[in-house]
Amino acid sequence: MTLAPNVYDAEPIPQSARAEIDKLLKSGDLFRYTAAKDAPVALLERDFAEMMGSQYALAVSSCSAALFLSLKALGLHPGARVLIPAFTFAAVPSSVVHAECVPVLCDVKDNYRIDLNDYEGKLDANIDAVIISHMRGHTSDMDAIMALCDARGIPVIEDAAHSLGTLWAGRNIGTIGRVGCFSFQSYKLVNAGEGGIMISDDADMVAQAVIMSGAYEHNWAKHMAGSDPALEAAFAKWQNRLPLYNLRMGNLSAAIIRPQLAEIPRRVRDGRANHDYVADRLNTSPWLHVPDKLKQEERAPDSIQFNLVGLSDAETAAFAKAASERGVKVQVFGQSTDNARAFWNWKFLDGPVPDLPQTRAMLMRACDVRLPARLSREELDIISEALVIAAQEVMGTPRAYGT
Ligand SMILES: *Cc1c(COP(=O)(O)O)cnc(C)c1O
């Protein structure tokens, strides 16, 4: 049997990054504010904002830092209630707690997207802000969400950590809410080990986030490439009035990230093709189901999620074991011990575990398999086959109709 590919290996960093890194190592100029202008971090912010069609970008140490600074820049009072989906990564409720706010969890459907009925009900329960987590790149109905939030004047933060390159009705994900936050951690589309960036058109919020990210004294001036009266006024307004959390990005990270921006279209194209190819194969099995995307959505996946249909807990465990024996590691979100995407493991939250049976049921049968853009058709076939056969081994061959 041909071996299944290692889906955890990263792509090499483009050669063009090496020259820039070498230059930084020679000069020792690793801090974003040493140079008067054109530091690698500032160039990354300029290019990223332009690529996304946003007015401003602020690069920071992680997407979690970007989410935290976004919440702080909204000026929420301690104890403010922030609505988040119950299917997300533990970093999201953590950022809310860190901002001294209270996360409120809403139900998610078995297509991994927000349940709009539950959402609308919870929005009216004293919610001050929302974070929409495009978990694993699955986009909830952003038209409906924006309409509901706009009608109530509730600001929307997009957690697009794992969604770079996704489009919603032709718009870049991360540009639909007031702020969009992205991650450059190694398991995301652009890999710098660690790093994050936020984008926004809101000068007042960006000025606050820049200062709180660690632009002490007048270092904010290095965030203004040209004349921008709105931003300048906001910096003047917030000077000396905000705590510094020092969540800056360093020049080395920016030097690793910037050359990868040019790789995004290829990674998105290949990742989408890989995902759709494997999805078609998995959907031939009566035991496996890959939910459809919404029609406004153009995805940029680097992994695939599918639901086990009609399997008990024991059969679910047997399926994961059979797939693993064929070299494909399947994580069932709710079944693996201490999974950071299972809301009942967020024991750092106050109060009892919320009662969200729909999300819980989804997490108990939803499988997660990495599918990096670099995989070949042959490797995709090995993965698809391993999953389909593993289900067959556990559940038996389904009877054809009429027999
Ligand atoms: C990875 C991830 C985060 C956290 O990103 P960091 O850069 O590691 O802080 C947040 N939300 C989602 C949906 C993620 O996938």
Side-chain angles (χ1 to χ4, degrees):
M1 191 167 69
T2 326
L3 280 181
N6 180 344
V7 294
Y8 294 90
D9 287 349
E11 271 187 38
I13 303 303
Q15 192 61 38
S16 50
R18 314 252 176 110
E20 181 69 35
I21 293 166
D22 205 42
K23 204 172 95 194
L24 285 173
L25 295 184
K26 279 198 188 106
S27 68
D29 185 9
L30 304 178
F31 183 48
R32 69 165 297 163
Y33 293 136
T34 304
K37 62 184 185 64
D38 291 344
V41 182
L43 296 177
L44 168 66
E45 289 167 343
R46 181 198 67 191
D47 291 358
F48 196 86
E50 191 188 309
M51 177 182 88
M52 300 301 286
S54 279
Q55 200 79 34
Y56 310 109
L58 169 64
V60 288
S61 53
S62 68
C63 180
S64 301
L67 291 168
F68 164 71
L69 290 171
S70 300
L71 290 166
K72 293 299 288 183
L74 283 173
L76 300 173
H77 57 88
R81 287 159 58 84
V82 180
L83 188 57
I84 65 170
F87 178 43
T88 186
F89 186 56
V92 174
S94 301
S95 72
V96 177
V97 169
H98 209 41
E100 294 180 82
C101 298
V102 177
V104 178
L105 275 51
C106 83
D107 236 334
V108 169
K109 299 200 295 185
D110 67 1
N111 68 353
Y112 320 127
R113 290 161 177 86
I114 288 168
D115 179 329
L116 288 172
N117 287 330
D118 192 53
Y119 204 71
E120 184 164 7
K122 287 192 172 146
L123 264 188
D124 287 327
N126 286 323
I127 293 299
D128 300 286
V130 307
I131 299 178
I132 300 295
S133 211
H134 306 301
M135 186 57 176
R136 290 289 190 272
H138 300 291
T139 313
S140 297
D141 186 338
M142 288 307 289
D143 294 343
I145 287 166
M146 291 311 296
L148 290 169
C149 292
D150 286 348
R152 292 161 178 79
I154 298 174
V156 174
I157 297 169
E158 284 183 75
D159 164 24
H162 211 154
S163 220
L164 181 58
T166 301
L167 301 178
W168 174 263
R171 290 175 67 180
N172 285 320
I173 216 72
T175 64
I176 299 168
R178 182 93 59 94
V179 194
C181 303
F182 298 85
S183 175
F184 301 121
Q185 186 261 353
S186 285
Y187 292 151
K188 316 294 160 122
L189 197 75
V190 170
N191 162 28
E194 298 280 5
I197 199 163
M198 55 188 275
I199 54 174
S200 179
D201 290 342
D202 185 322
D204 196 66
M205 271 190 80
V206 169
Q208 292 180 68
V210 163
I211 292 173
M212 287 188 284
S213 76
Y216 59 93
E217 296 164 356
H218 288 187
N219 278 312
W220 49 257
K222 294 172 183 166
H223 290 261
M224 296 192 34
S227 151
D228 188 329
L231 195 56
E232 191 155 13
F235 281 133
K237 172 178 162 196
W238 291 109
Q239 179 75 56
N240 298 347
R241 296 188 167 275
L242 297 167
L244 307 174
Y245 295 102
N246 287 9
L247 300 166
R248 294 174 299 250
M249 179 181 279
N251 281 338
L252 262 181
S253 298
I256 292 171
I257 295 164
R258 205 154 75 95
Q260 291 183 67
L261 299 185
E263 308 285 322
I264 293 173
R266 174 187 56 80
R267 290 180 188 170
V268 168
R269 190 183 61 232
D270 293 352
R272 190 183 296 156
N274 288 357
H275 174 277
D276 294 351
Y277 181 81
V278 173
D280 284 347
R281 268 142 197 81
L282 301 191
N283 279 333
T284 61
S285 165
W287 318 114
L288 309 177
H289 176 62
V290 183
D292 283 336
K293 67 177 191 68
L294 301 187
K295 73 172 188 305
Q296 296 94 324
E297 195 179 352
E298 274 188 74
R299 305 198 56 220
D302 61 4
S303 65
I304 190 163
Q305 289 71 46
F306 56 94
N307 295 327
L308 299 176
V309 183
L311 276 70
S312 66
D313 277 346
E315 287 160 348
T316 297
F319 166 77
K321 185 163 173 286
S324 155
E325 281 164 8
R326 293 177 169 272
V328 179
K329 190 167 171 283
V330 176
Q331 198 175 50
V332 186
F333 290 106
Q335 304 274 1
S336 68
T337 312
D338 297 331
N339 193 301
R341 298 146 204 92
F343 63 86
W344 54 88
N345 289 328
W346 304 338
K347 297 200 175 111
F348 51 86
L349 299 184
D350 283 339
V353 175
D355 186 27
L356 296 161
Q358 186 177 215
T359 308
R360 184 182 285 268
M362 178 277 284
L363 290 167
M364 296 311 272
R365 293 294 176 271
C367 302
D368 192 23
V369 173
R370 283 178 55 75
L371 222 49
R374 62 177 165 73
L375 295 185
S376 68
R377 272 292 147 95
E378 192 190 2
E379 292 171 320
L380 298 173
D381 283 332
I382 293 168
I383 292 173
S384 314
E385 196 169 312
L387 295 171
V388 169
I389 292 177
Q392 225 167 71
E393 273 173 14
V394 173
M395 300 303 287
T397 310
R399 262 193 244 148
Y401 288 109
T403 59

